Amino acid sequence: MASLAQRCPVARAGADAPPAPAHVPPELVLDTRFAAGVVPNDLVEPYRPMDVVREEDFPRIHYYPWPISGNQHGAWVVTRYEDIRRVYEDNALFSSEGVAQFQALAGETFPSIPLGIDPPDHGRYRKFLNPWFTPVAMNAREPRIREIIGGMIDQFAASGEVDIAYEFGRVFPVRVFLDLMGFPFTMFEQFLDWEWNILHEDAIEKKAEALRGVLAYLRGFIADKQADPDDTLGSYIANGSIDGKQLTEDEVIGMTWFLWLGGLDTVASTVSQMFRRLAMHPELQTQIREDKGLINSAVEEFLRTQPLVNSGRKVKRDFEWHGVQIKAGDWVSVFNTSGNFDPDQFECPHRFDPARKNNRHFTLAGGVHICLGAHLARRELRVLLDEWFDRIPHPFRVKEGADTTVVPSLLSIRNLPIVWDAEAAS
């Protein structure tokens, strides 16, 4: 049988890779960038290349030397569903301290709250924020979400064409988020520019410059809300207290910053990949259009098959895992890009099943740190499918000649023009 290196696009990290810590066995320092969600492809199933990292003779844990999970260093990587679940759920061994700590590049020391806080303090912050993100809260917000989505679709329905990624997907969820927080829509383009540089710019100084810009804006926003409170989430945080104690400056900026970071791109990227799949599979459009009872489970399947973020955790103590010595202070990254397709958890994992049951994927993370905005994301996607198939009731497709390349991660598709028979739709 051919060796793993012969069969698969996996090799030891080259001389251009950052150095690994001395305790990492050299044979486990592998170049799995193709599975990390950072290498673009134009496959109908963009996450297919990740299958190789679950093969029987692929190491259960390996070392990825490049910066990952918002850090500026490498990490151990697990790729199987059960190992990923352990990282998310074992809070005694794996810490969230320092996760998504981009602000450190600008010299800031406040944590990203609540993600960067371990239990039990994490629970206090989740309890404070949760009332804004419950299903009941989403019921109250749904009319506004529906108004935004329906109004935007009506603007282009008769034209028979829209860039679903740039003109729609990147806009509507941000409008919903800006409404929720109380940010002015005039900051839309500036926000996305800052975020793009933070997440995708390689030059550290450009990242730091964007961070300084957004944090200066957010601190001014907080001061305005403290001087003139209103009924928005931004004001609630700026003037908040927990157990009768006023939030500190670090707590206020930590929450405001983290919600800003998480509120701009996850749904936008999901929408782009969702419509790419729908446009390439007209039979799936027909199935959902003719049975809207599938929308809720279809949204879960879109989420499962489009894992955007590979999360990281810091190891609290030395331990051995799959025969490998892991040291306190090491980082472990989970490849949700692989775990969401683990056949030990999901039957026929690459078959898109809009009626799939017990769909316990990791796209929205897991354990106590499961995504705070999960209910909001789901509600936005469900309302979108409902409104879309009502207002554009005929098949759509990718515009001829359009680039369908995907970077299987955040901000994954910049442009995706789709077309339909506008005369029939009207």
Side-chain angles (χ1 to χ4, degrees):
M1 182 177 179
S3 70
L4 181 68
Q6 291 172 321
R7 290 186 294 106
C8 310
V10 180
R12 291 190 187 181
D16 61 330
H23 66 277
V24 177
E27 66 272 15
L28 292 182
V29 184
L30 301 178
D31 187 348
T32 49
R33 284 175 289 185
F34 69 92
V38 298
V39 178
N41 68 64
D42 194 22
L43 300 173
V44 175
E45 298 284 346
Y47 294 87
R48 276 278 185 183
M50 291 62 164
D51 288 354
V52 66
V53 299
R54 293 188 311 279
E55 292 201 3
E56 184 177 354
D57 54 354
F58 190 88
R60 286 291 294 251
I61 185 166
H62 72 278
Y63 195 84
Y64 181 97
W66 290 273
I68 194 169
S69 302
N71 292 309
Q72 296 305 305
H73 52 72
W76 296 103
V77 173
V78 290
T79 61
R80 273 73 159 188
Y81 187 93
E82 286 302 320
D83 293 339
I84 292 171
R85 179 160 62 184
R86 181 184 184 186
V87 174
Y88 280 133
E89 295 182 357
D90 189 348
N91 298 301
L93 185 56
F94 300 103
S95 171
S96 286
E97 180 185 349
V99 172
Q101 199 81 0
F102 295 97
Q103 61 271 31
L105 296 175
E108 300 281 358
T109 58
F110 67 84
S112 296
I113 302 175
L115 178 59
I117 303 293
D118 287 334
D121 287 340
H122 169 266
R124 296 170 54 246
Y125 295 118
R126 285 291 292 239
K127 183 178 179 181
F128 172 76
L129 292 168
N130 272 342
W132 291 79
F133 295 97
T134 63
V136 172
M138 293 308 104
N139 290 342
R141 297 204 68 81
E142 182 172 317
R144 176 57 179 156
I145 296 171
R146 201 169 285 277
E147 177 187 359
I148 290 172
I149 292 173
M152 290 184 66
I153 294 173
D154 285 347
Q155 290 177 3
F156 56 73
S159 69
E161 179 176 350
V162 69
D163 185 334
I164 197 68
Y166 192 83
E167 297 173 355
F168 182 75
R170 79 179 188 115
V171 180
F172 101 75
V174 179
R175 286 185 60 182
V176 172
F177 172 70
L178 298 180
D179 263 12
L180 177 68
M181 288 293 293
F183 292 130
F185 189 71
T186 53
M187 291 299 296
F188 173 81
E189 294 290 352
Q190 179 63 78
F191 278 0
L192 292 186
D193 183 59
W194 278 331
E195 189 189 37
W196 177 266
N197 285 335
I198 291 168
L199 295 178
H200 292 277
E201 176 56 58
D202 290 332
I204 297 299
E205 181 48 41
K206 285 193 175 181
K207 284 181 180 285
E209 181 182 1
L211 284 158
R212 287 190 290 268
V214 67
L215 292 174
Y217 174 82
L218 292 179
R219 287 189 167 107
F221 169 82
I222 289 166
D224 289 344
K225 294 300 182 184
Q226 289 171 339
D228 187 17
D230 55 34
D231 61 356
T232 64
L233 175 55
S235 180
Y236 172 78
I237 296 170
N239 299 285
S241 60
I242 296 178
D243 299 330
K245 184 178 178 182
Q246 197 76 18
L247 295 176
T248 66
E249 288 185 16
D250 277 1
E251 288 173 326
V252 172
I253 188 64
M255 288 188 212
T256 307
W257 146 255
F258 180 66
L259 289 174
W260 179 89
L261 182 68
L264 296 181
D265 55 44
T266 49
V267 176
S269 294
T270 300
V271 169
S272 300
Q273 289 197 40
M274 180 170 79
F275 273 81
R276 181 184 186 270
R277 180 181 289 274
L278 285 166
M280 291 179 167
H281 296 86
E283 73 284 356
L284 181 57
Q285 296 179 45
T286 301
Q287 190 176 4
I288 299 174
R289 183 183 292 111
E290 293 181 354
D291 182 4
K292 283 192 171 183
L294 290 171
I295 285 179
N296 286 5
S297 56
V299 163
E300 290 307 311
E301 189 72 332
F302 282 119
L303 289 170
R304 181 185 73 83
T305 57
Q306 300 166 186
L308 301 175
V309 178
N310 291 323
S311 303
R313 298 289 186 267
K314 186 165 67 173
V315 176
K316 292 184 177 182
R317 57 174 171 79
D318 293 1
F319 76 110
E320 182 178 318
W321 200 8
H322 300 308
V324 177
Q325 297 297 319
I326 314 296
K327 301 290 187 181
D330 285 354
W331 281 78
V332 175
S333 182
V334 298
F335 273 14
N336 298 325
T337 48
S338 167
N340 275 11
F341 299 92
D342 191 330
D344 289 341
Q345 176 68 21
F346 304 101
E347 183 180 358
C348 301
H350 282 288
R351 185 189 71 203
F352 188 95
D353 180 3
R356 189 181 292 272
K357 307 297 183 186
N358 301 316
N359 200 341
R360 297 185 178 92
H361 56 78
F362 289 129
T363 297
L364 300 170
V368 298
H369 290 285
I370 194 166
C371 178
L372 178 67
H375 292 305
L376 175 60
R378 289 183 168 108
R379 189 64 60 98
E380 289 176 316
L381 295 170
R382 292 168 183 173
V383 171
L384 169 56
L385 290 178
D386 188 38
E387 291 290 325
W388 181 275
F389 288 122
D390 273 353
R391 294 168 189 267
I392 302 181
H394 291 273
F396 57 90
R397 61 195 180 278
V398 177
K399 187 175 183 178
E400 186 175 356
D403 181 7
T404 53
T405 299
V406 177
V407 179
S409 62
L410 292 173
L411 303 173
S412 57
I413 302 175
R414 296 288 276 176
N415 299 93
L416 184 66
I418 60 173
V419 295
W420 59 92
D421 185 341
E423 184 175 346
S426 64

